[in-house]
Amino acid sequence: MRLCTHHRRFHQDGEQLFQRIEPFDADEYIERLAWRTPGGGSKGGAEAFDPKRLLEEFENHIEELKQLDEKIQRRVEKLEHQCHREAKEFAHKVQDLQRSNQVAFQHFQELDEHISYVATKVCHLGDQLEGVNTPRQRAVEAQRLMTYFNEFLDGELRSDVFNNPEKIKEAADIIQKLHLIAQELPFDRFADVKAKIASKYHDLERQLIQEFTAAQRRGEIGRMREVAAVLLHFKGYAHCVDVYIKQCQEGAYMRSDVFEDTALLCQRVNAQVGEVFQSPETVMAKLIQNIFENKLQAHVKEKLDETRHSDVEQYLKNLYDLYTRTTALAAKLTEFNLGSDKHTFLSKLIKNIFSTYLESYIEMEKDYLRTRSSMILQRYYDSKNHQKRPLGGGSIQELKERIRQRTNLPLGPSLDTHGETFLSQEVVVNLLQETRHAFERCNRLSDPSDLPKNAFSIFLLLVEHLCVDHIDYALEIGLSAIPSADAKNANLYFLDVVQQANTIFHLFDKQFNDHLMPLISSSPKLTECLHKKKEVIEQMEVKLDTGIDRTLNCMVGQMKHILATEQKKTDFRPEDENNVMIQYTAACSKVCAYVSRQVERVRKSMDGKNVDTVLTELGVRFHRLIHEHLQQYSYSSMGGMLAICDVAEYRKSAKDFRVPLVLQLFDTLHALCNLLVVAPDNLKQVCSGEQLTNLDRNLLHAFVQLRVDYRQARLGRHFS
């Protein structure tokens, strides 16, 4: 009894121990077993540690584990035996099912073959029945048509189908077939009946069209579809479509914008036409063709013909606007189903409307642009009270002017323009704007193959009026107005011409790149345009260079005049060497002030590298003038100091040029002036200095000869 009780307790406790240890750990299992045994704990507790009791518990537990193992082993063997038995039974069942499935498959094949055989027999029988029934139906139909034909022969239509308005669809089918039959009958024997059938045919056709028209006005789409389907086999089907198209346009053009009205109309009809006609794309194409050939063509003709001869500017604007809006409308219409080649179809419609206008477009464009440009220029010259001078003539005056422009020979007074440059940015903007509009119209209205050629012809007109008639003329006038180099108090307005011409060149170049280049970039005309542009610019640059060169000569001439009138010989040989109160001479002061003003004018008139180029040339000439001027005087010790002060002031002005070469020239000149004051014994050392060592010895000697004490101190021996 105790053993059984202990066994049940072990079985319960063992299961709990096994369940708690996952995965199984023998050490953990022994530890738990010892902890659960009274007196078996290692850390003390309610009972003291009892090894004997723990040993006894372990031995009993081992015995019980053996018994449990045997029991479990028996259960395992029993389950294995049962599993083998059930596997054999399942295998037998699977074999039975496979045999049954094979038998069923054979039965299915036999049934399928039988069904195929029966179906073949049924199809054959159906073909036989159809072969018998079709001639029978034809015979019945022929008999029925003969009955109706007899009524036409008798001249009395007794059948209800011809007298009942509700059976008009059936009557239409009959009369259409009778009409086809009547076409095959000889005229001499059946003329009367053929006439009666034809009369009834046209009468029914008219009734159907009237019914279709009434249904369209009532908005009964279903009835319209039925009548259209009946009329499809009649000759009047096209008339039905025409009626539909005509009624669709009633009340559609109530506003002033015919293009917007057309787009809305086509959208509305496109949503409906598929529900009425069996070939909606044909009906839509016919509707659009009708609109283009009637409504749009009349609108275009009215708009263009009223201004074609009276107002060319408005005519060109209207032509551009109408063509643009028509092509935009055509682009919208491509959304609809108009058949296989709708783009070609719409292009032909547009061409039919505008072909007569587009053929003469470019000539009218050039004539208008030529007239408009001439008017803009003439209006400007009239506002200046200026009578434009003919250029390029062969008169003596013209020859003298050209010689004077290219030389400094005094061949008479220069032209007095009173400071007027004869260049107007407003005129240029107006000319460029007119040309831009012409390019836009040309791009839209020209045939793609003619576009580069037409754009080039417009460009030539721009060159003629802007570059030749305006800029080149202003340059010629500006050159004529440049005074000679020896003129006194000359007003140099040519730099203002340069400034304005430079601004105009930028505007001209921008239009060339923005509006002309996209039209000719992929054509052989591109090379021709670039060559023409280069040729025009080079011709103007030659005149600009000539004018700038002569202007610089005038500046130098003005400086020379200041020096000649203001510089005194006593400035550099003062009577009282110890009482010189000035820092630099009056001539130097006026020249420096004049130079500063001219440098500022050059900077305002030029841009980019041109500023440095012109200032470099002016600086070199300025230096040459001062260098030659200083060599005209002899210098005392105090006079030499004053010359050095003058050159220092000139050097300050040279800094305003911001050109290293000019500053270097004046540095060298300043060093040369030191030769005027240095002690005789130090001359050789100074001449060997960094700034003078590379100069020609004759130049150094020439400067030393300017000293008052040159002969007394025998300074020439230092250069022998």
Side-chain angles (χ1 to χ4, degrees), residues 548 552 555 595 598-603 606 609-622 654 656-659 662:
I548 291 172
L552 295 182
M555 291 179 182
V595 168
Q598 302 314 311
V599 168
E600 188 62 29
R601 288 192 66 185
V602 170
R603 291 195 182 280
M606 310 285 175
K609 295 181 179 180
N610 294 330
V611 176
D612 293 338
T613 302
V614 174
L615 288 180
T616 299
E617 183 62 27
L618 177 60
V620 170
R621 297 186 188 189
F622 174 39
D656 294 339
F657 287 73
R658 302 173 197 168
V659 177
V662 176

Side-chain angles (χ1 to χ4, degrees), residues 122-140:
V122 170
C123 290
H124 179 67
L125 181 60
D127 292 339
Q128 290 180 334
L129 290 174
E130 185 178 0
V132 173
N133 186 56
T134 301
R136 177 182 172 280
Q137 285 182 337
R138 291 176 180 172
V140 171

Side-chain angles (χ1 to χ4, degrees), residues 8 101 106 119 209 413 439 477 493 497 519 557 576 595 631 654 720:
R8 286 196 301 273
N101 183 60
Q106 291 176 352
I209 292 175
F439 281 136
I477 295 296
Y493 295 113
V497 176
L519 307 184
D576 186 357
V595 168
Q631 289 183 311
S720 59

Side-chain angles (χ1 to χ4, degrees), residues 69-85:
D69 180 63
E70 293 175 357
K71 181 179 178 181
I72 291 174
Q73 189 63 36
R74 286 194 298 272
R75 289 183 63 188
V76 169
E77 292 175 355
K78 182 179 178 181
L79 289 173
E80 287 179 348
H81 178 72
Q82 183 179 355
C83 181
H84 287 304
R85 187 178 69 253

Side-chain angles (χ1 to χ4, degrees), residues 311-323:
D311 189 347
V312 179
E313 179 182 10
Q314 191 60 45
Y315 167 80
L316 292 172
K317 289 180 179 178
N318 289 345
L319 178 59
Y320 175 78
D321 180 63
L322 290 170
Y323 189 83

Side-chain angles (χ1 to χ4, degrees), residues 175-188:
I175 201 67
Q176 192 267 338
K177 293 176 180 177
L178 289 175
H179 187 265
L180 292 176
I181 294 171
Q183 302 298 317
E184 304 297 327
L185 298 176
F187 182 78
D188 53 348

